[in-house]
Amino acid sequence: MTGESWLRVEGLTAGYGKRRILQGVSFSLDKGTLTGLLGGNGCGKTTLLRTVCQQIPHEGSCYLGKLRLEECSARELARHISYIPQRSGIGISLPVLDVVLMGLNPWLGLLERPSRMQREKACRALEKVGMEDQKDRDFQTLSEGQKQLVLLARTILEDTGMLMLDEPDSALDFPNRYRILTILKKMTVGQERAGLLCLHDPVLALEFCDQLLLMKDGRVQSVLCPGLDSLQKMEQALSKLYGPLSLVPCTDRNGDRHLVPLWERRPTPESVLRSFEKSGKRHLFLTGKKGSGKTTLLGKLTVLLAEKGMMTGEKEAVLPGVTSWAVPGKEVLLKENGSGETAVIGRRREETSRDTDSCGRMEMVREGFLGLGIGAIDRAGESSSAWVSLDEIGYLESGCPEFQQAVRRLLDRKRVIGVLRKQDTEFLNELRSREDVFCYDLDENC
């Protein structure tokens, strides 16, 4: 980027309670640019916007020009930053025009009412987003997409130097997605302001944004400039978020050229293995929601690794290690590969209501981990096999420190191929974030 540095974020670390979401995030935006913030669910995009807007306690600093945002009052912040969250936060009945006029609150005195000229300006803002005919309608009766357009009109009226929008396209139909992105582009490019948008659609981001921040696990993994960076660099960076893809240049009906991503719809064992080999990591874990095909893919990968001689001559698809599975509504079992011996490691809670989530329905059976579990892991670590299989490591393991330590010992002694459950627990997050682990998420890569 070559413009004047405008928003600077330095070493931002933040979260909720004891759980950290952002981990030392740093980046800068230039005036006159529109930046897209991309990443999977839970990576920290919304937390980042809220933190920059000073809504969450944090470490680090945020600057807008020479202004340190941590030193600003809420009123002063509102004069410099326009923030549109995923939900409006407006819970009372108000005419649409009054919602737009709320953008003037930081500039109006106590009990001061908007002037006639300001009301006319608010009407013109509604006209720009195609909502001028709804100015007298109750805001609460609008669809979520219409509410987003009204809030964009409020942002136009605010006329601040920094626009921050959290998934502004999420509730909009196809034509209005392009309308809102086109408006935001005109509001930023060549202007004395910058925009930062959380987006889920990389197609929109590639078409409208000057810069892309790619987030994963609470960190900015890559910064891309679609107009300047090579296709290879962008493909490699985007593939880490969205799975194997190619960027194909195309020309629209106006003659403008854009990059369109084309995905491989389902990961093959070969494509996963290629990604694993490129990573240079020691261990390969698969993760994803229930029914994503983790265990099936694990079996195919094990055979493929053996066929390629990457398992030092081992031809058996059954490797030393453990396999766990749930008996619906009853218990979770752990089996030692090879011996076939099993033990119960989870049992259904009798008092569980129908509303309890899947983690809460099972309580850990410690004896199963201490009896068979740790022994099976240690025996796998002492085997002659170079590779060990763990299918699957789940949330129950988070309650047994001794079993966790056995898995850590195994990772230090052998190469592991396995499956990790998708739950958010300290132990599962630790395994996913290890420097020697390549974790392939089927939810993000399908």
Side-chain angles (χ1 to χ4, degrees):
M1 307 300 287
T2 58
E4 179 185 350
S5 183
W6 184 228
L7 177 70
R8 303 192 320 279
V9 172
E10 301 175 353
L12 215 58
T13 297
Y16 306 93
K18 295 182 179 180
R19 183 187 174 201
R20 288 192 171 185
I21 304 296
L22 303 181
Q23 306 283 348
V25 173
S26 298
F27 64 89
S28 64
L29 309 183
D30 297 341
K31 277 186 176 180
T33 62
L34 189 63
T35 297
L37 187 59
L38 299 176
N41 291 329
C43 72
K45 302 188 299 297
T46 295
T47 301
L48 176 57
L49 291 192
R50 294 188 62 204
T51 304
V52 173
C53 292
Q54 308 303 304
Q55 296 182 5
I56 300 176
H58 59 274
E59 301 171 13
S61 300
C62 306
Y63 296 89
L64 192 63
K66 297 181 180 180
L67 184 68
R68 188 169 188 266
L69 300 183
E70 284 79 8
E71 298 174 354
C72 295
S73 66
R75 186 177 178 85
E76 187 176 7
L77 277 171
R79 290 180 175 180
H80 293 282
I81 297 178
S82 296
Y83 172 54
I84 299 182
Q86 292 182 27
R87 300 294 180 212
S88 69
I90 299 173
I92 61 174
S93 294
L94 286 173
V96 163
L97 184 59
D98 285 359
V99 172
V100 177
L101 289 167
M102 289 169 64
L104 298 173
N105 287 349
W107 304 97
L108 297 176
L110 185 64
L111 301 180
E112 183 181 359
R113 297 180 63 82
S115 66
R116 176 183 173 183
M117 185 177 296
Q118 288 171 326
R119 294 179 70 86
E120 290 175 351
K121 191 174 180 180
C123 290
R124 288 196 297 273
L126 280 171
E127 185 177 356
K128 287 184 179 180
V129 301
M131 293 291 289
E132 66 274 17
D133 294 338
Q134 308 293 326
K135 65 184 179 67
D136 297 320
R137 185 173 166 183
D138 186 344
F139 180 78
Q140 298 302 331
T141 66
L142 300 178
S143 69
E144 290 301 319
Q146 289 175 316
K147 288 178 180 178
Q148 286 288 80
L149 293 171
V150 172
L151 295 180
L152 178 59
R154 187 180 71 184
T155 297
I156 294 172
L157 184 65
E158 287 170 341
D159 195 26
T160 63
M162 187 68 218
L163 312 178
M164 305 188 74
L165 295 89
D166 193 355
E167 298 184 24
D169 61 319
S170 60
L172 297 173
D173 56 25
F174 186 79
N176 277 322
R177 288 183 184 182
Y178 277 80
R179 174 190 286 224
I180 196 171
L181 267 295
T182 300
I183 292 171
L184 291 169
K185 185 83 170 177
K186 290 180 179 178
M187 290 176 67
T188 52
V189 175
Q191 305 297 317
E192 290 296 304
R193 64 168 62 91
L196 178 61
L197 319 175
C198 284
L199 294 170
H200 267 304
D201 188 346
V203 176
L204 285 177
L206 286 166
E207 181 168 349
F208 287 96
C209 295
D210 308 289
Q211 180 176 247
L212 303 178
L213 304 180
L214 308 188
M215 283 196 71
K216 190 172 184 179
D217 300 327
R219 294 179 171 87
V220 174
Q221 301 286 338
S222 304
V223 179
L224 299 178
C225 299
L228 302 174
D229 291 332
S230 67
L231 282 179
Q232 182 181 11
K233 178 181 177 180
M234 290 195 294
E235 286 174 347
Q236 289 176 348
L238 290 168
S239 292
K240 292 179 181 178
L241 289 186
Y242 301 109
L245 58 79
S246 299
L247 293 176
V248 180
C250 68
T251 303
D252 63 22
R253 62 184 179 183
N254 297 319
D256 297 324
R257 290 182 62 79
H258 306 289
L259 293 173
V260 177
L262 297 179
W263 284 270
E264 179 181 327
R265 292 302 298 170
R266 293 290 301 179
T268 64
E270 291 78 8
S271 66
V272 176
L273 184 57
R274 284 196 300 269
S275 298
F276 172 59
E277 290 177 307
K278 288 180 181 178
S279 74
K281 303 295 180 67
R282 174 179 171 85
H283 309 294
L284 170 58
F285 281 102
L286 307 173
T287 191
K289 62 187 177 183
K290 184 177 180 180
S292 60
K294 304 182 294 293
T295 295
T296 299
L297 183 57
L298 175 66
K300 293 179 179 179
L301 277 166
T302 302
V303 172
L304 183 62
L305 285 168
E307 290 175 349
K308 287 180 171 293
M310 297 177 66
M311 288 189 170
T312 62
E314 298 153 20
K315 299 298 182 182
E316 294 294 327
V318 178
L319 295 172
V322 295
T323 300
S324 66
W325 72 97
V327 179
K330 295 182 179 180
E331 55 195 14
V332 179
L333 300 176
L334 186 74
K335 179 181 74 173
E336 181 176 9
N337 297 344
S339 73
E341 185 178 354
T342 63
V344 177
I345 59 173
R347 187 170 286 119
R348 182 179 175 84
R349 299 176 189 268
E350 294 298 329
E351 70 277 12
T352 301
S353 70
R354 292 184 179 180
D355 294 331
T356 307
D357 62 23
S358 59
C359 295
R361 291 194 182 107
M362 292 289 176
E363 61 182 356
M364 184 192 70
V365 177
R366 184 175 169 82
E367 294 81 1
F369 285 111
L370 297 182
L372 174 69
I374 293 176
I377 294 293
D378 286 340
R379 283 188 288 274
E382 294 167 358
S383 70
S384 60
S385 174
W387 283 79
V388 170
S389 175
L390 301 179
D391 179 22
E392 62 186 0
I393 300 298
Y395 59 89
L396 292 169
E397 287 83 339
S398 295
C400 186
E402 297 90 342
F403 185 83
Q404 295 175 34
Q405 192 56 41
V407 173
R408 295 186 188 102
R409 290 196 301 268
L410 180 66
L411 292 171
D412 291 336
R413 299 179 65 180
K414 299 288 185 178
R415 301 189 73 176
V416 175
I417 182 171
V419 170
L420 297 178
R421 286 287 292 271
K422 197 64 181 285
Q423 277 83 7
D424 181 13
T425 72
E426 184 175 352
F427 181 53
L428 290 173
N429 290 338
E430 174 194 329
L431 295 182
R432 281 190 283 262
S433 62
R434 281 177 61 116
E435 291 185 355
D436 58 354
V437 165
F438 177 79
C439 194
Y440 193 95
D441 190 332
L442 272 71
D443 296 344
E444 296 180 2
N445 293 294
C446 290

